[in-house]
Amino acid sequence: MPVLIGSDKLFISGVRNPGFIIVQIADNKATKVIDGSSMKNDFNSSCYMDGYLYGFHVAALRCISAEAGEVKWTKRGFGKGSLIIVDDKLIVLSDQGKLVIIEATPDAYEEKSLIQTINGKSWTAPSFSNGKVYVRNLTEMACYKL
């Protein structure tokens, strides 16, 4: 799924080379701004906040600059997980059901909390509503109040 950057740019990523491209939309035309291999989304899309993209580079959680594609940090151990942004925090679900809340900052990986929510393949991004986060795998669903 393309990710909107500002009001006129789209981040598009996949596992094939180059990995990602950012295009600017103006006058009914798309123009390449940058491309690179520092982010290759596989199952789930990245998220954008304050000039940075957070997402899964194949099987590693990563933060890159949306301006230059420069890697700011990488954290392994989540498999091919998914994430959303809620109130300046990354809510990350590993592909094995671990839910992690991380400070959304390009400076460093800052884990705030971790809980094993469900077991088994969890490839669907978490959802958030009214202070609750929802996670699911192929056979079950769980809800946690944050």
Side-chain angles (χ1 to χ4, degrees), residues 19-39:
F20 78 87
I21 184 170
I22 295 177
V23 296
Q24 185 167 23
I25 310 296
D27 301 322
N28 293 321
K29 183 170 100 174
T31 305
K32 180 175 80 170
V33 175
I34 185 176
D35 67 9
S37 60
S38 57
M39 184 71 79

Side-chain angles (χ1 to χ4, degrees), residues 1 11-21 36-46 56-58:
M1 177 71 90
F11 170 83
I12 304 161
S13 182
V15 293
R16 295 184 186 251
N17 287 327
F20 78 87
I21 184 170
S37 60
S38 57
M39 184 71 79
K40 293 183 176 183
N41 294 160
D42 197 348
F43 289 117
N44 291 291
S45 299
S46 291
F56 280 87
H57 173 69
V58 187

Side-chain angles (χ1 to χ4, degrees), residues 65 71 109 120 144:
S65 160
V71 176
Y109 173 87
Y144 291 87

Side-chain angles (χ1 to χ4, degrees), residues 1-144:
M1 177 71 90
V3 176
L4 184 63
I5 297 174
S7 62
D8 64 347
K9 293 179 187 158
L10 288 175
F11 170 83
I12 304 161
S13 182
V15 293
R16 295 184 186 251
N17 287 327
F20 78 87
I21 184 170
I22 295 177
V23 296
Q24 185 167 23
I25 310 296
D27 301 322
N28 293 321
K29 183 170 100 174
T31 305
K32 180 175 80 170
V33 175
I34 185 176
D35 67 9
S37 60
S38 57
M39 184 71 79
K40 293 183 176 183
N41 294 160
D42 197 348
F43 289 117
N44 291 291
S45 299
S46 291
C47 295
Y48 172 81
M49 190 173 91
D50 298 333
Y52 296 91
L53 290 150
Y54 301 89
F56 280 87
H57 173 69
V58 187
L61 181 62
R62 180 170 278 182
C63 172
I64 67 168
S65 160
E67 185 175 317
E70 172 191 10
V71 176
K72 303 307 281 182
W73 54 259
T74 301
K75 179 69 174 171
R76 297 198 177 280
F78 299 103
K80 295 183 180 189
S82 58
L83 74 154
I84 57 174
I85 294 178
V86 175
D87 297 333
D88 298 337
K89 303 279 188 280
L90 303 177
I91 298 180
V92 178
L93 184 63
S94 80
D95 66 1
Q96 294 299 310
K98 285 183 186 173
L99 186 72
V100 186
I101 298 176
I102 301 162
E103 194 69 39
T105 174
D107 300 330
Y109 173 87
E110 293 182 35
E111 189 173 296
K112 297 298 181 185
S113 64
L114 179 145
I115 184 173
Q116 181 69 44
T117 57
I118 52 180
N119 294 310
K121 291 287 182 200
S122 302
W123 286 339
T124 303
S127 299
F128 181 85
S129 180
N130 296 321
K132 297 175 185 167
V133 65
Y134 299 85
V135 296
R136 76 173 182 89
N137 60 22
L138 294 174
T139 59
E140 62 184 333
M141 181 175 174
C143 174
Y144 291 87

